[in-house]
Each structure stands twice: as C-alpha cells, then as structure tokens.
Amino acid sequence: MTPGETDSSPAMHDSAVAWQAALKAYQRDEILAAYDLARPHVGAYGGSMLATWMSIEAEWRTRMANRMASVSPSITVEWPMDLEPDPVDLEQAREAWDDVVARFGWQPAAPLTICLLDPHHDVRYFPYRGGYYTNRGSHHKIVLPGGLLGYDDFGRALSHEIAHAMVEERAGGLCPIWLNEAIAQVADRSATEGARRRFASSLWRWLNPRELDQAFGANRVDDPGQRVLRAYMQACLIGQWLARRSSNPGERQLGATLDAFTDNGLIKDIWLRIRGYTAADEAIRQVFGLGEEELFQLARPHGGTSADGRS
C-alpha cells in the first residue's frame, strides 16, 4: 500500500493523509513541515516510506541549523551544525554551476539550493548516499554528503548534480534516465577506461536503451553484480561518444539535445508516436542525425579500440 491508496482503518487513513501532506511539503522544500507531518507515521505501509523519511530527516537536520550563505545571486548553500564549509568550498559551488552553464550552453531559469548533510548520515543504508537532485518547484535542490568537503569528489558531485538540474529544466522531465546520467557524467568528467575495456571484451554486457533505463532501478544498497555501476559506465561511454562526435563543442550539442525534447508541436508529437519514436530517439535524431538504437550500436566499444575508433 502507498500513500495514494486507501484503507478502512482509521490509523491507515491518518497515515495516508499525513504522508500526502508531508510529500507535498517536501516537494515545496518546506522541510520543517514535512518532518513534523511524517514523523508520527514513519512505520506506515510496512516501512516502505523509510527511505523517504531518511531523506526528510537528514535535510531537516541541516535546515534546523539555520546556517546558510548565498554564494551568487543564483546559489544558496546550507549546512548542519557539525560542519563548517571553507570559503573555498563555497566558491567551488559557484565554479561548478558556471562550468556547467558555459559548457552546455544553459541559461538557467531557476535558482539552486545546495544542502550539505551531517556526515553521520553517510551510512550504507542511506538512500542515494552519494548525493541526489530534486526539483522543488520554485528552485532546484541538490543534496550532498558533508563528508565530501575538502575532497576532489566534492567538485565532481557538484557538477554531476547541477547537470541533473539542467536536464530537468531543459528537457521538461522527458529525458530518459540513461541520457540524464550520461550528460551528468560528461559534466563531472568521469573516467571510463576500465569500463570501456570490460564492455569491449564482453565481460560486461552492453544493454539496449530499455534495459539500460531499467538497470538504474536496481537495489543500490545491495548490488553484488554491480548492475547499477555498469549502467552508469555504459551511459557515460555513450555520452562521451556523443560529445566527441560533433564538430561544434560536443557538450553544447548535448545541451541542444535536451532542448529538442520540448520543441515539438502537438501535431509532430502525434506523428512521432505513430511512427513509434521515443522522445529520446527524436531528440537525438534531430541534433545528431541518428536514432537511439543506432546510437547504442555505434557507441559500443569493440576489441582494443575506444568507442570513437581510437586505439
């Protein structure tokens, strides 16, 4: 049972009402209200809301500290009591934002809030432990573990999650997971040489678009087959292949692909559905001149060469 379903018991009804209100408050970034509404009903639905509760609680601890700074007109950073960002860390947030804007040709329409979590929340069972992005309506919000401060991974995590904000804004929620993650990893400059060799040798199986999207839904806490890792690496290789393909700055072309998700009229959308094209297929075809399936075949590493044919 989920918060959208009903039950005859008064307790279940109360939990459903409370969780619906809590989720709406959370989506508006009203964290204190979301916490108060959800706390009495943490164990509802057989504990299926525990992951959501952990995110609410972690963000609540940061918000309760009431420690924040504006690092630019578009960016606000907030952090918990037991954490003290260095001015260099705050400047890194602005630099990561400006880097994604410049490389992908983005003109942001909404501001960004960066929430740093108490390092005590960096535990194995915490959902999306490495950080996550959410659209909070009036603004973008990324949540990152505070323990990343001072490490190179902090800058990469910032770039990765800021890219997710860009994808959401430009593609209007139509971008498939694999392309979303492909662009985010191009933004964070992920390394893929080891993964390229594994795919080229068939040690790792190269998935089709639908399989790749589904792989991102695997259990991230217990993933002994590294299904999620492989999905990220395959998406990254595809994103890198696209970025290298264009004579124009490749990252700008990836940005143009995001814009192509929302530039169709109603008649063209109907025509595309009749032809069996996915939104991603049409957007990629519009910018790069090839379809989704063809892209997956061309970007697949083979033998001892890289995905663009270089040894």
Side-chain angles (χ1 to χ4, degrees):
M1 176 147 323
T2 68
E5 297 175 328
T6 61
D7 190 276
S8 58
S9 70
M12 186 60 73
H13 175 74
D14 291 346
S15 292
V17 171
W19 266 111
Q20 287 174 353
L23 292 174
K24 288 179 181 178
Y26 182 69
Q27 290 162 2
R28 296 190 299 267
D29 205 26
E30 296 171 1
I31 300 301
L32 305 186
Y35 178 88
D36 289 340
L37 287 162
R39 185 180 182 186
H41 305 277
V42 172
Y45 313 108
S48 64
M49 301 300 293
L50 281 173
T52 303
W53 164 252
M54 284 189 283
S55 292
I56 292 174
E57 182 187 28
E59 293 181 42
W60 172 83
R61 291 188 181 278
T62 296
R63 186 64 53 84
M64 282 293 288
N66 196 30
R67 306 174 77 187
M68 59 184 63
S70 293
V71 298
S72 81
S74 302
I75 306 171
T76 300
V77 181
E78 58 179 348
W79 60 90
M81 288 297 298
D82 295 335
L83 202 66
E84 191 61 54
D86 188 277
V88 173
D89 299 319
L90 299 180
E91 179 64 12
Q92 224 177 337
R94 185 194 62 77
E95 290 173 351
W97 174 270
D98 290 347
D99 179 63
V100 172
V101 166
R103 288 165 59 200
F104 293 87
W106 182 28
Q107 297 179 335
L112 171 70
T113 295
I114 300 171
C115 173
L116 301 178
L117 299 183
D118 189 313
H120 290 99
H121 286 284
D122 187 17
V123 291
R124 182 173 179 268
Y125 53 81
F126 188 81
Y128 299 100
R129 180 180 176 185
Y132 54 91
Y133 160 79
T134 53
N135 182 345
R136 300 299 171 96
S138 64
H139 61 281
H140 302 292
K141 183 172 184 178
I142 64 176
V143 179
L144 295 175
L148 289 178
L149 289 179
Y151 293 93
D152 290 344
D153 283 346
F154 181 59
R156 287 194 290 269
L158 282 167
S159 296
H160 186 101
E161 301 303 337
I162 288 170
H164 282 316
M166 175 187 67
V167 171
E168 175 69 17
E169 191 171 287
R170 297 178 78 167
L174 299 174
C175 186
I177 299 172
W178 72 261
L179 182 56
N180 197 332
E181 295 297 349
I183 291 173
Q185 289 177 99
V186 170
D188 71 24
R189 298 178 171 88
S190 289
T192 55
E193 183 56 31
R196 184 197 65 77
R197 290 196 299 268
R198 285 170 172 80
F199 282 117
S201 67
S202 297
L203 180 65
W204 289 359
R205 188 169 73 88
W206 190 258
L207 305 179
N208 66 39
R210 177 173 294 184
E211 290 173 331
L212 185 53
D213 248 16
Q214 292 173 342
F216 284 104
N219 187 336
R220 296 178 181 227
V221 174
D222 184 15
D223 187 25
Q226 296 184 308
R227 188 182 181 197
V228 177
L229 171 64
R230 297 182 190 193
Y232 272 98
M233 289 295 94
Q234 180 176 336
C236 188
L237 285 165
I238 295 170
Q240 291 172 344
W241 188 90
L242 283 172
R244 289 192 297 263
R245 179 180 173 86
S246 175
S247 57
N248 296 320
E251 289 144 341
R252 289 291 182 108
Q253 293 297 85
L254 287 172
T257 303
L258 296 175
D259 296 334
F261 277 92
T262 57
D263 67 356
N264 296 326
L266 177 60
I267 294 177
K268 187 172 182 180
D269 276 337
I270 294 173
W271 180 83
L272 290 169
R273 292 191 184 99
I274 292 173
R275 292 291 300 270
Y277 290 148
T278 65
D281 189 84
E282 193 278 332
I284 296 166
R285 193 179 299 276
Q286 181 175 320
V287 176
F288 291 97
L290 48 87
E292 197 174 18
E293 293 286 350
E294 183 182 4
L295 164 62
F296 271 58
Q297 293 173 9
L298 291 173
R300 179 178 181 175
H302 293 284
T305 60
S306 63
D308 66 347
R310 295 179 297 179
S311 59

